[in-house]
């Protein structure tokens, strides 16, 4: 078993101390530690271009992102995908601490859910209070992932007629939620809702504090597109799609794409818990549950566009579906600016309408009570309805210079086209990376 550290795909300034720390760590154990930074990825990109005959521009987009952007998490994930072909893999962000814990009152039997996300929420004013809720455990954390990854649901007590397999495993999270905003919590039901709305004080705290426990109480399998890669397991023996290389929520795009291209893909939510502990203090502004910025993110453009496209070709496998979806995105990006934005706006309005309908259903279910929650839910509905009148709403705020709207418009279409091209050639890149691995060439190198 290898331990792989996938570092910043752009810079090299921190390379030496990271490698030195990894060599010191390796000296304390028997496992091989491998490292992939900018230099290693450049070498691999050269080899991959030669092996695949795919354009270096597309390969660089996959592994390094686009330098006009500011966040390259998806590019790092792509390096990990190509480095670990043929394996079951567990990945974690660099602000994760190895404090494994068990969910409260966790049980062993596996359950099945039709929910988008079956995990429960607990809310806390600070990290200390959150950590006091979970019991540390010294059990083999990876074993629960190995037991379910790649398994057919029927093999682990699921419906006999269920097709597909567990493609992704997601443990629970304690600490910083990693959420972009708290608007999702307005829709909670059951015990999560009761904890959120126990009092106005606890509710107000939850709108500001990002400290949560978010987990299931027993292993739960769902045919869901939900994906959050703070820490996650994945079956890299399958032809998984690439991550969108740049900006936030590349994991959300990945989850939806997996569902579109892998027939019967399931997610297993696990009652084991890890600590997400960014070094800096993070908090919500307090009003983000009912107000969203007046412009979407680039991930929203992709999610909206993919969700309205049906790539489930009855006779096609993952490679053909990736080709089909990639071609669709390229064709979409080839539209002129007005046509492109009109299409994306209508697709995003469908997402907004879905969320609006869910909020309205919750208001009806609970009779608009308690009033402090209902007032915020109505504010969120009104805000989403007003987005149809916002001229630049569909221009991503996280692309290029936020003040240069026309530049952001142009770069958005370019990034969508590049991702489409990447999806089309990804099966070829994966097979080429597999051949390179057989020759001893990987993205990462031993420290």
């Amino acid at each position: 078993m290898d331990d792989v550290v996938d570092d910043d795909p752009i810079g090299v300034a921190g390379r030496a101390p990271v490698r030195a720390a990894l060599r010191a760590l390796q000296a304390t154990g028997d496992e091989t530690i491998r490292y992939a930074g900018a230099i290693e990825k450049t070498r691999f990109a050269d080899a991959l271009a030669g092996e695949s005959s795919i354009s270096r521009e597309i390969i660089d987009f996959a592994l390094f992102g686009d330098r006009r952007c500011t966040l390259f998490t998806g590019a790092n994930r792509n390096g990990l995908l190509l480095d670990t072909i043929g394996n079951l893999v567990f990945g974690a962000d660099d602000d994760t601490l190895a404090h494994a814990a068990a969910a409260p009152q966790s049980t062993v039997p596996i359950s099945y859910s039709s929910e988008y996300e079956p995990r429960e929420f607990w809310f806390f004013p600070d990290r200390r209070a959150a950590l006091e809720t979970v019991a540390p455990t010294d059990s083999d954390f990876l074993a629960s992932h190995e037991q379910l990854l790649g398994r057919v649901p029927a093999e682990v007590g699921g419906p006999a007629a269920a097709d597909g397999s567990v493609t992704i495993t997601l443990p629970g999270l304690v600490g910083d939620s990693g959420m972009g905003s708290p608007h999702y919590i307005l829709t909670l039901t059951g015990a999560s809702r009761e904890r959120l709305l126990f009092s106005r004080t606890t509710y107000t705290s939850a709108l500001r504090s990002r400290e949560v426990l978010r987990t299931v109480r027993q292993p739960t399998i769902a045919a869901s597109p939900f994906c959050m890669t703070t820490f996650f397991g994945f079956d890299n023996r399958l032809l998984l799609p690439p991550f969108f290389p740049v900006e936030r929520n590349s994991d959300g795009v990945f989850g939806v794409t997996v569902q579109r291209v892998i027939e019967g893909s399931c997610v297993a939510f696990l009652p084991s818990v890890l600590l997400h502990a960014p070094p800096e203090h993070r908090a919500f502004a307090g009003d983000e549950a009912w107000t969203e910025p007046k412009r979407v993110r680039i991930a929203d453009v992709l999610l909206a566009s993919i969700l309205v496209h049906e790539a489930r070709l009855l006779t096609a496998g993952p490679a053909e579906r990736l080709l089909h979806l990639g071609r669709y995105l390229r064709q979409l990006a080839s539209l002129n600016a007005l046509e492109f934005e009109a299409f994306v706006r209508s697709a995003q309005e469908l997402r907004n309408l879905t969320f609006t309908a869910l909020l309205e259903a919750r208001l009806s279910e609970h009779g608009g009570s308690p009033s402090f929650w209902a007032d915020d839910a109505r504010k969120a509905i009104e805000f989403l309805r007003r987005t149809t009148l916002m001229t630049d709403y569909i221009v991503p705020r996280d692309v290029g210079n936020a003040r240069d709207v026309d530049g952001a418009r142009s770069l958005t279409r370019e990034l969508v086209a590049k991702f489409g091209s990447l999806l089309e050639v990804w099966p070829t890149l994966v097979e080429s990376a597999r051949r390179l691995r057989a020759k001893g060439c990987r993205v990462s190198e031993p420290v």
Side-chain angles (χ1 to χ4, degrees):
M1 180 173 64
D2 293 336
D3 294 322
V4 179
V5 175
D6 205 303
D7 204 359
D8 187 343
I10 301 298
V12 297
R15 171 186 175 83
V18 171
R19 288 178 63 88
L22 293 176
R23 282 193 293 269
L25 180 61
Q26 181 166 269
T28 66
D30 300 325
E31 295 179 357
T32 299
I33 298 179
R34 302 178 65 92
Y35 174 82
I39 293 174
E40 289 77 13
K41 291 175 184 178
T42 299
R43 290 172 181 162
F44 183 78
D46 289 337
L48 188 58
E51 184 71 27
S52 66
S53 298
I54 297 298
S55 161
R56 182 60 189 269
E57 181 182 2
I58 297 177
I59 293 173
D60 283 352
F61 181 60
L63 293 176
F64 300 99
D66 188 299
R67 290 180 183 246
R68 292 168 292 181
C69 299
T70 58
L71 189 64
F72 309 101
T73 308
N76 268 353
R77 298 291 187 206
N78 288 336
L80 187 62
L81 285 173
L82 293 176
D83 190 58
T84 60
I85 289 170
N87 293 284
L88 300 179
V89 185
F90 178 80
D93 286 352
D94 59 0
D95 54 6
T96 299
L97 297 182
H99 296 306
Q105 302 174 335
S106 60
T107 59
V108 174
I110 296 173
S111 69
Y112 294 82
S113 175
S114 59
E115 295 180 85
Y116 171 67
E117 186 194 3
R119 296 191 291 189
E120 294 184 48
F121 276 81
W122 288 255
F123 303 93
F124 306 96
D126 54 55
R127 176 116 0 117
R128 180 177 179 179
L131 291 173
E132 289 174 349
T133 308
V134 294
T137 177
D138 57 1
S139 62
D140 185 351
F141 177 81
L142 295 178
S144 58
H145 295 267
E146 293 174 329
Q147 290 166 2
L148 290 177
L149 269 177
R151 299 290 297 276
V152 175
E155 296 176 345
V156 288
D163 294 323
S165 64
V166 175
T167 307
I168 296 169
T169 48
L170 296 175
L173 175 150
V174 66
D176 182 85
S177 68
M179 297 169 63
S181 84
H183 72 276
Y184 176 59
I185 69 175
L186 292 176
T187 68
L188 294 178
T189 60
S192 297
R193 184 177 191 274
E194 292 176 7
R195 287 187 286 267
L196 173 68
L197 303 178
F198 178 76
S199 70
R200 184 163 196 154
T201 300
T202 58
Y203 174 70
T204 302
S205 174
L207 295 185
R208 291 187 177 276
S209 173
R210 293 168 57 102
E211 299 298 319
V212 302
L213 170 63
R214 186 179 187 179
T215 185
V216 289
R217 297 179 189 262
Q218 63 189 109
T220 305
I221 296 177
S224 170
F226 181 87
C227 183
M228 191 170 181
T229 58
T230 313
F231 14 79
F232 75 127
F234 57 96
D235 186 356
N236 208 17
R237 300 169 301 183
L238 302 173
L239 176 57
L240 298 174
F243 284 82
F244 183 60
V246 297
E247 305 305 354
R248 284 185 59 89
N249 203 23
S250 62
D251 45 3
V253 177
F254 178 77
V256 167
T257 308
V258 166
Q259 281 285 301
R260 285 293 188 270
V261 302
I262 299 179
E263 187 70 31
S265 173
C266 294
V267 178
F269 297 86
L270 306 177
S272 52
V273 176
L274 285 179
L275 173 59
H276 182 219
E280 74 282 0
H281 174 70
R282 298 177 180 179
F284 293 123
D287 63 350
E288 292 164 287
W290 63 87
T291 64
E292 285 287 327
K294 295 182 180 180
R295 287 163 57 184
V296 299
R297 296 182 185 271
I298 182 66
D300 295 310
V301 171
L302 286 165
L303 286 168
S305 301
I306 294 171
L307 286 170
V308 297
H309 175 68
E310 183 52 72
R312 292 178 181 272
L313 307 179
L314 293 178
T315 59
E320 292 83 5
R321 291 175 181 173
L322 281 168
L323 176 66
H324 189 66
L325 181 57
R327 186 177 297 140
Y328 156 74
L329 289 177
R330 276 200 309 105
Q331 291 172 344
L332 174 60
S334 71
L335 298 174
N336 65 46
L338 290 177
E339 293 171 332
F340 175 82
E341 286 192 21
F343 180 90
V344 174
R345 181 181 290 276
S346 63
Q348 179 63 24
E349 284 177 1
L350 287 176
R351 294 183 72 207
N352 290 349
L353 283 171
T354 299
F355 192 70
T356 296
L358 182 57
L359 286 172
E360 290 175 335
R362 295 287 183 264
L363 285 168
S364 177
E365 289 169 21
H366 302 290
S369 179
S371 60
F372 55 83
W373 161 80
D375 289 345
D376 289 349
R378 294 188 184 101
K379 290 176 186 176
I381 291 171
E382 179 59 27
F383 182 89
L384 289 173
R385 286 174 175 162
R386 289 202 306 270
T387 61
T388 59
L389 303 176
M390 297 178 184
T391 304
D392 297 329
Y393 173 66
I394 210 63
V395 182
R397 66 185 187 276
D398 58 344
V399 165
N401 184 339
R403 290 171 293 182
D404 180 8
V405 176
D406 289 337
R409 280 191 166 96
S410 177
L411 182 53
T412 296
R413 290 162 60 209
E414 185 177 340
L415 291 172
V416 171
K418 291 172 75 170
F419 189 50
S421 296
L422 177 58
L423 291 176
E424 289 182 276
V425 304
W426 186 251
T428 300
L429 293 179
V430 168
E431 286 307 310
S432 299
R434 195 187 305 274
R435 292 194 299 271
L436 287 173
R437 183 181 177 116
K439 300 174 185 177
C441 177
R442 292 175 56 179
V443 182
S444 65
E445 298 179 0
V447 296

